[in-house]
Amino acid sequence: MALGTATDPYELRFDAGRISLDLLATTHPEERFDSVEVLCAWIVGAGLVPPGTPLAHAGPPWLVDFRELRGRIGQLVRGSLAPGPWPSYDIALARVNDVARVAPPAPRAVRGEDGTLVRELDHPPECAALLGAVARDALELLTDPVARAALRECEGDNCPIVYLDTSRGRRRRWCSSEVCGNRERVARHRRRVALTRA
C-alpha cells in the first residue's frame, strides 16, 4: 500500500497540539477512520512513523483498536474538561494505562541519500506499539497540570474538537481559524446583514 494515500487534507487534521487530541479529531465532522488506508495516512501524518515506513500489514483490526483507544482517550479528556461523576472514567483510565505499557516503535537514525541523518524504524511497527505511543501521549497530557489547563473545546457551532491552546494570552477560541473561525465570522456577518435589512 502506498503511504500518503489520496485523502483530502481537510479530512485529516493535525492541528490540535498533541497526537492524542489529533486522534480525537478523526470523528468530526464524520468518522474519518473508514478504511485502513486512511488510518495508515493518519499514522504517517501524525508522525508516529517516518514517511515511507511499510504498513502493508495493517488490517481491519487496527481500525477497531484505534477507534477503541480514541473513545477511551475521549472519555478522559472530556472528564478533565468537565470534572464530575463520570462512571466510565476509571474504566477508560485503566484501559489507556494498559495500552501505554507497550513500548512505542523504536526509531533509529540512518544516513539519507544526501548524507543527512533521517529517522526510520528497524522493522514495520505493530499496532500495539503505535497505540502505546498515542496512549502515552494522552497520559503525559492529562498528568501535566500546565498542559491540562490549556485544553480547550472549540467554540464553533457543533464542533467537538478539543485542542491545546498555546496561543499568546490563551485566547484561542476555535480548533482552526480557517475552518470554525471562518464559519463564525461568516455567520456573524450574515447576522449583521440580516439586522440591517430588518
Side-chain angles (χ1 to χ4, degrees), residues 4-18:
T5 55
T7 306
D8 185 345
Y10 176 73
E11 288 183 26
L12 297 176
R13 295 179 52 187
F14 302 99
D15 55 0
R18 296 295 286 257

Side-chain angles (χ1 to χ4, degrees), residues 86-100:
W86 287 78
S88 59
Y89 190 90
D90 290 336
I91 295 168
L93 182 59
R95 180 66 181 129
V96 173
N97 280 330
D98 285 343
V99 173

